[in-house]
Amino acid sequence: MIAQQFHTLQTYLESQVIGQQELVKQLLVALLADGHILVEGPPGLAKTRAVKCLADCIEGDFHRVQFTPDLLPADLTGTDIFRPETGDFAFQAGPIFNSLVLADEINRAPAKVQAAMLEAMAEKQISVGKTTYPLPELFLVMATQNPIEQEGTYPLPEAQLDRFLLHLDVDYPNEDAELEILRLNRGEAQGVESVDKPTLSQQTIFDARKQALDIHMAEGVERYIVRLILATRQPEKYSSELTGQLEMGVSPRATIALDRCARAHAWLSGRDYVTPEDVQTMAYPVLRHRLLLSYSAQAQGIKPDTIIDALLSMVGSA
């Protein structure tokens, strides 16, 4: 049973990435919804470990790219190499041609590299010269950002951010999780040895995606999604305070993302229907990087999650 295989995978990942259950679940949501993830959090919170563990359990190639200011687009996409023995140019594929790609500190890459990533993430293809090369059918980018150090970074433009399905904020683990991490690092975590590492074929993932898309969503829930999205574009209908905090609402891409993610969340929860709670849970990672806050709101230190809290309280699900 496909659902049981994903449950086993989730259990295994949670045993290897201690104290980050939300990160693990959202990784699986992105895998089911066929989208990319932007993870923001201080160093050392198992962001890289999580995607490596996921890659180990999936039939596909994994590559980590450390983004730096001197990175060139060709370092990512690949380039044409001249072969003296034949007198022809041959394309040598770059690290982007892998099923799972970890883009570490993506905001340290210059605009040209970010533009190359945009084409790959949006269209699952890479253009080199006059030739366009398709990327693998299973293609997931997990990008990380360090929210603390901003020197020498190139903030991602709105068009690039919009290509990410989810934006996750990773926080520090609690005391019990920290203790278990300590024991796991010494190879003494209880129960870890009893959890066998599962392996998912790509066909299993594609079948799971179809099942998640086929989940029943009532018209009322569909309209709830649309009303939430429209509230970001027309906040004056709900609150004058919200009007001054939002510079621009989200695009229809956010509507599609919220629909797919709510379905994936319901499927992972073992249900064959979507509830308003699924939509509310996924609203935060789907919308927080797409909302464009006004200068006044930023100056007051207002966070996107605060805006989403207000939207959820004002827009009824009935």
Side-chain angles (χ1 to χ4, degrees), residues 221 224 274-281 317-318:
V221 180
Y224 180 43
V274 182
T275 67
E277 287 73 23
D278 292 315
V279 176
Q280 292 161 4
T281 299
S317 58

Side-chain angles (χ1 to χ4, degrees), residues 125-288:
Q125 65 180 33
I126 286 294
S127 298
V128 178
K130 297 180 180 179
T131 309
T132 298
Y133 301 93
L135 292 171
E137 186 177 0
L138 177 63
F139 180 63
L140 171 65
V141 173
M142 177 177 168
T144 66
Q145 282 191 147
N146 182 349
I148 301 171
E149 187 182 357
Q150 298 299 326
E151 186 176 350
T153 61
Y154 302 81
L156 297 176
E158 284 72 23
Q160 178 79 48
L161 287 171
D162 203 31
R163 289 330 193 261
F164 285 100
L165 182 76
L166 304 175
H167 177 198
L168 305 179
D169 280 332
V170 183
D171 206 354
Y172 291 106
N174 58 31
E175 181 180 346
D176 290 338
E178 193 88 21
L179 180 60
E180 197 170 347
I181 290 169
L182 185 63
R183 291 171 175 170
L184 177 62
N185 190 55
R186 295 200 309 259
E188 298 175 356
Q190 294 181 355
V192 172
E193 294 81 2
S194 64
V195 181
D196 296 327
K197 183 176 76 173
T199 301
L200 262 66
S201 68
Q202 294 194 16
Q203 188 57 51
T204 299
I205 295 170
F206 299 146
D207 291 343
R209 287 176 177 176
K210 291 179 182 176
Q211 288 187 12
L213 282 176
D214 286 342
I215 278 186
H216 174 70
M217 181 182 287
E219 183 181 346
V221 180
E222 289 179 333
R223 290 190 178 276
Y224 180 43
I225 290 175
V226 172
R227 285 199 301 269
L228 279 173
I229 298 302
L230 291 180
T232 69
R233 304 174 196 165
Q234 303 164 346
E236 65 276 1
K237 291 185 176 180
Y238 296 92
S239 165
S240 58
E241 184 180 10
L242 207 59
T243 305
Q245 295 172 347
L246 276 173
E247 187 75 25
M248 185 179 294
V250 298
S251 71
R253 189 180 283 118
T255 312
I256 297 169
L258 190 51
D259 171 81
R260 294 177 71 99
C261 290
R263 291 173 186 272
H265 188 272
W267 189 86
L268 282 173
S269 300
R271 283 182 274 104
D272 59 358
Y273 60 93
V274 182
T275 67
E277 287 73 23
D278 292 315
V279 176
Q280 292 161 4
T281 299
M282 297 310 305
Y284 293 91
V286 168
L287 299 180
R288 68 164 57 106

